[in-house]
Each structure stands twice: as structure tokens, then as C-alpha cells.
């Protein structure tokens, strides 16, 4: 409407071409420790992670370039809970409090070492657009792409995540 606020339908999501915004299925209960907290877009809030670990519902966690120790409330509780995990995998390029607790650290190419096609702006931009950026630094010789690390991890777990069962190597 004239004078109204613009909400981007997204270059990739193309919400303006849909009859309705897609849902993620019927309403679901929250996590076992907090059943009253409904998931948003099929995901539970990260703040329930410590309680789910303490209850034994969460035994393995893969952290993608984040620092859950400092990102979640009650750092002491988070640190104690993460120490209870059977497996804590951190996919990262820097030493953080989370990588210090990790049972496995998978070093990957840093943000400036890889070309990037950020999708985060798709629904939050005031214009329909997509952005591509070339890598600006050479790749570190002792690191692999993040997608490779995740594909290898999935393959070790018997899960094919690449199309046509492609080998990550």
C-alpha cells in the first residue's frame, strides 16, 4: 500500500509468488524438558540446550562456527552441561571456549578464504537481490571447506548428504 512498510519476499524464497507462506507441518510440542516452548520453523530455542543435556535427551552436538559457551545464558551451567556430552564437535577457525570443551574440532576455511553466497539477507533486505563475494585470502593449506567436513561426518554416520551419492573427495 502507498506509505506502507516494505517486506522483501526474498530473491530465493519468492514469497510474492506463493499463495501462502509455507509451514513446517502441524504444531509440535516443545523439547521434553520444556514442552510448553513451541518450536519455531521446526527448531527449538538454543536456551533449552543445557536442560536437554542435563536430562540426557541430547548426547551429541555439532556447533557450526559458533560459541555456545558465551552465546547462551548462564555460562557456568552451559559449560557444565557441554562437558556431559558424549560428543561435542566444533566446526570453527578460531580457539574459543567452545572449542576448548570440544571432543572434536574440525578446522575449516575462514570466511575470507572462501567465496561466499550469503543467504541470510534473502528475506531481510529492502530489495530483491543476491550477493556473491570472491575469496580475498588464499586458503589455509591445513584446512578443508566446511561442507567437506560435514559431508565426511555424515558419511561416517552412514548418511548421504551430497546429491547422487557424490564422494566429498
Amino acid at each position: 500500500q502507498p506509505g506502507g512498510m516494505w517486506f522483501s519476499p526474498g530473491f530465493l524464497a519468492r514469497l510474492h509468488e506463493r499463495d501462502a507462506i509455507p509451514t513446517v507441518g502441524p504444531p509440535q510440542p516443545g523439547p521434553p524438558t520444556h514442552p510448553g516452548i513451541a518450536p519455531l520453523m521446526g527448531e527449538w530455542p538454543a536456551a533449552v540446550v543445557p536442560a536437554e543435556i542435563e536430562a540426557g535427551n541430547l548426547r551429541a552436538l555439532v556447533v557450526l562456527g559458533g560459541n555456545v559457551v558465551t552465546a547462551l545464558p548462564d555460562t557456568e551451567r552451559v559449560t557444565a552441561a557441554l562437558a556431559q556430552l558424549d560428543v561435542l564437535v566444533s566446526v570453527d577457525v578460531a580457539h574459543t571456549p567452545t572449542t576448548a570443551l570440544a571432543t572434536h574440532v574440525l578446522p575449516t576455511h575462514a570466511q575470507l578464504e572462501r567465496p561466499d553466497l550469503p543467504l541470510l539477507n534473502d528475506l531481510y533486505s529492502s530489495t530483491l537481490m543476491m550477493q556473491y563475494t570472491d575469496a580475498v585470502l588464499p586458503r589455509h593449506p591445513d584446512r578443508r571447506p566446511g561442507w567437506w567436513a560435514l559431508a565426511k561426518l555424515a558419511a561416517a554416520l552412514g548418511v548421504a548428504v551430497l546429491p547422487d551419492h557424490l564422494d566429498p573427495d
Side-chain angles (χ1 to χ4, degrees):
Q1 297 178 2
M5 182 179 283
W6 167 261
F7 289 92
S8 173
F11 181 79
L12 296 176
R14 300 191 183 280
L15 297 178
H16 62 295
E17 295 176 1
R18 299 174 185 233
D19 293 330
I21 294 176
T23 63
V24 293
Q28 300 284 327
T33 59
H34 295 84
I37 298 177
L40 177 62
M41 296 175 63
E43 298 183 3
W44 298 332
V48 303
V49 166
E52 289 298 307
I53 294 171
E54 293 160 353
N57 300 324
L58 180 59
R59 297 181 40 215
L61 182 64
V62 178
V63 179
L64 304 177
N67 189 355
V68 294
V69 170
T70 58
L72 298 181
D74 195 351
T75 301
E76 289 181 19
R77 182 181 183 196
V78 171
T79 301
L82 292 176
Q84 294 177 36
L85 289 169
D86 294 339
V87 176
L88 173 58
V89 178
S90 181
V91 181
D92 214 325
V93 298
H95 181 73
T96 69
T98 300
T99 61
L101 294 173
T103 59
H104 301 77
V105 178
L106 307 179
T108 60
H109 294 140
Q111 287 176 319
L112 298 178
E113 295 175 332
R114 63 178 189 249
D116 210 354
L117 186 67
L119 301 176
L120 296 176
N121 291 334
D122 193 44
L123 294 174
Y124 301 108
S125 177
S126 61
T127 60
L128 288 174
M129 53 76 95
M130 182 52 61
Q131 175 182 322
Y132 173 82
T133 306
D134 285 320
V136 296
L137 295 174
R139 290 183 173 171
H140 191 285
D142 295 330
R143 296 183 189 152
R144 297 283 195 133
W147 66 263
W148 179 89
L150 295 174
K152 292 295 270 190
L153 178 61
L157 294 170
V159 178
V161 294
L162 296 178
D164 301 322
H165 301 286
L166 292 173
D167 181 349
D169 294 318

